[in-house]
Amino acid sequence: MLEDIQLIYMNVRILRFWALLYDKNVKRYICLTLSIVHVLTQIFYMCTTDEGITGIIRNSYMLVLWINTVLRAYLLLFDQQSYIQLISDLSNSYYEMERMDDRYIGYLLAKMNQQGRLMARGNLFFGLLTCIGFGLYPLSSTERVLPFGSKIPGVNEYATPYYQMWFVFHMLITPMGCCMYIPYTSLCVGFIMFGIVMCQALQHRLRRLKHRLLNPQQLSLEIIECIIYHQRIIDYIQTINKLTTYIFLVEFLAFGALLCALLFMLMFVDSSAHIAIVSAYINMILAQILALYWYANELREQNLAIAVAAYETEWFMFDMKVRKNIQFMILRAQRPASVLLGNIRPITLELFQNLLNTTYTFFTVLKRVYG
């Protein structure tokens, strides 16, 4: 019953519609086949084009987006059972929290669902703007330009009626690609957001210990349950890392290069319409990256906060066995479980800032060289 979990419901529903999750039908093969064919025509175009720098940058941006789309679809299919199991674990933990009938935890779940729904709709809105930008860019040009640079060997794609047919194909495939690409990002961010709520629920449970009248045996059992729940959080985050760490690394490298190239492209565009469209491309990249890095950073901070919550239990007043258990929990929480980039570095806002700084540095170098 994912309908109650608005955090991920919309994303799972879209991916299921295209048969990338749960279902297996002809739509899966249609969307994958069309996407792969489209990527191949884009690669052929990039290898044979004699366009200027703006055309190369713009079409490189499109090619990276489509390769990323196919890669995400492949990862969903390759590790489908792992994704389904992760969704099932999230669902079970969600209803377990709901059954606690705790006002604070109920508030956390309601806030999480609201934020997740808003994020999913916002990402789809940015995707819609980008799709519109793909369609408007050729219309604002003085010569025939396709939404995506692509070429079929032996066919003049700018001649009538091939140009009209290819233009319609591009505009039909764009929403499909958008619905394959964006829900995956929103789903991954949804997984991270639920991890944040799990950490906050554990902190709440720990802080309540000093207000509950428990005998030493009950207290020891409660602490052990908290430690087990903490390990569940760690395992949950490790599962997310196993499924996403390398795709996040690829996106980090690709989007950093694309952001630099698009800023460089703004130096060459000569109309306000083109500036608006390129700005929409940049905003889409930033919106996708910022949402991921913001919540991944928050997850790390909330994991660190578990150590503080455990310390605030006034553990030094408990008996020796309970004190040792809490000390072990504090020590483990001080090495916070985090979403990793290529299993190398935690994803944080500091990393996002470094990406922007590096991108701008390369942009200024390119600008100076060009000047």
Side-chain angles (χ1 to χ4, degrees):
M1 293 287 293
L2 292 177
E3 291 84 353
D4 297 330
I5 312 176
Q6 292 296 311
L7 173 70
I8 60 172
Y9 174 64
M10 182 184 296
N11 307 308
V12 172
R13 185 177 179 183
I14 293 172
L15 293 172
R16 188 169 190 171
F17 174 82
W18 290 107
L20 298 175
L21 274 179
Y22 295 104
D23 299 336
K24 183 178 180 180
N25 56 48
V26 69
K27 283 186 287 188
R28 170 189 297 184
Y29 303 106
I30 290 174
C31 67
L32 280 176
T33 301
L34 291 177
S35 299
I36 292 171
V37 169
H38 183 56
V39 167
L40 292 176
T41 62
Q42 285 182 290
I43 293 173
F44 182 74
Y45 178 87
M46 292 298 296
C47 293
T48 59
T49 185
D50 55 359
E51 275 192 294
I53 186 68
T54 57
I56 292 174
I57 292 174
R58 177 176 168 273
N59 289 310
S60 297
Y61 171 75
M62 313 299 182
L63 178 59
V64 169
L65 284 184
W66 277 101
I67 289 176
N68 209 347
T69 298
V70 173
L71 183 59
R72 289 169 180 228
Y74 171 76
L75 289 175
L76 275 173
L77 297 179
F78 182 77
D79 283 323
Q80 179 145 161
Q81 291 305 315
S82 298
Y83 280 98
I84 291 173
Q85 184 60 50
L86 183 58
I87 293 171
S88 176
D89 292 342
L90 185 154
S91 178
N92 293 335
S93 296
Y94 178 91
Y95 289 115
E96 180 184 316
M97 288 184 189
E98 218 175 38
R99 286 192 296 270
M100 291 179 183
D101 199 23
D102 185 288
R103 289 181 61 184
Y104 178 71
I105 292 178
Y107 163 76
L108 290 178
L109 293 175
K111 182 181 177 182
M112 175 197 69
N113 277 326
Q114 183 182 18
Q115 290 178 342
R117 183 169 60 247
L118 181 63
M119 178 198 63
R121 291 177 177 176
N123 283 342
L124 286 173
F125 175 72
F126 273 113
L128 175 63
L129 288 181
T130 306
C131 291
I132 293 173
F134 291 157
L136 291 180
Y137 193 93
L139 300 178
S140 61
S141 299
T142 55
E143 55 187 14
R144 285 189 170 182
V145 179
L146 288 166
F148 309 105
S150 57
K151 185 178 181 65
I152 299 176
V155 175
N156 182 3
E157 69 273 19
Y158 297 116
T160 304
Y162 301 114
Y163 175 77
Q164 288 79 5
M165 294 168 59
W166 209 226
F167 188 94
V168 170
F169 170 74
H170 282 185
M171 294 313 299
L172 289 176
I173 199 176
T174 299
M176 182 194 73
C178 180
C179 290
M180 292 168 61
Y181 178 91
I182 292 176
Y184 180 87
T185 298
S186 298
L187 181 64
C188 291
V189 175
F191 290 148
I192 295 170
M193 290 173 69
F194 188 74
I196 293 171
V197 172
M198 292 176 74
C199 292
Q200 291 171 331
L202 179 56
Q203 294 166 32
H204 175 64
R205 189 172 179 179
L206 287 167
R207 290 192 174 102
R208 287 178 57 199
L209 286 178
K210 61 183 178 182
H211 302 298
R212 297 172 63 185
L213 300 176
L214 301 174
N215 61 47
Q217 185 177 5
Q218 290 174 323
L219 185 60
S220 180
L221 289 174
E222 183 69 15
I223 291 296
I224 290 172
E225 287 182 10
C226 287
I227 292 173
I228 292 172
Y229 192 76
H230 187 206
Q231 186 59 48
R232 279 179 59 188
I233 295 173
I234 294 169
D235 293 341
Y236 175 81
I237 296 171
Q238 287 177 344
T239 302
I240 296 174
N241 278 325
K242 179 183 175 184
L243 295 174
T244 62
T245 186
Y246 293 112
I247 187 69
F248 287 162
L249 176 62
V250 170
E251 289 184 350
F252 177 82
L253 298 174
F255 283 168
L258 284 176
L259 194 57
C260 177
L262 288 171
L263 288 172
F264 187 60
M265 182 179 175
L266 286 174
M267 295 173 53
F268 300 93
V269 293
D270 53 3
S271 71
S272 56
H274 285 177
I275 291 174
I277 292 168
V278 174
S279 298
Y281 297 162
I282 293 173
N283 285 332
M284 181 185 175
I285 290 178
L286 292 177
Q288 293 281 304
I289 295 179
L290 181 58
L292 171 64
Y293 282 55
W294 179 278
Y295 287 110
N297 183 81
E298 182 65 18
L299 177 62
R300 181 177 172 81
E301 294 297 321
Q302 291 298 331
N303 266 282
L304 279 169
I306 292 173
V308 178
Y311 186 83
E312 290 174 354
T313 59
E314 298 180 355
W315 57 275
F316 43 83
M317 299 178 64
F318 301 149
D319 62 45
M320 183 60 69
K321 183 178 180 181
V322 174
R323 274 188 284 173
K324 285 185 177 180
N325 285 332
I326 294 180
Q327 286 174 331
F328 282 131
M329 188 176 188
I330 292 172
L331 287 172
R332 181 61 184 88
Q334 287 174 337
R335 295 187 294 109
S338 307
V339 180
L340 300 177
L341 193 73
N343 278 329
I344 300 171
R345 180 171 176 176
I347 296 178
T348 61
L349 288 177
E350 181 184 359
L351 184 62
F352 178 71
Q353 182 182 7
N354 291 340
L355 173 64
L356 295 182
N357 290 340
T358 304
T359 297
Y360 188 74
T361 299
F362 278 105
F363 165 67
T364 53
V365 170
L366 285 173
K367 185 178 179 181
R368 183 173 297 178
V369 170
Y370 176 77

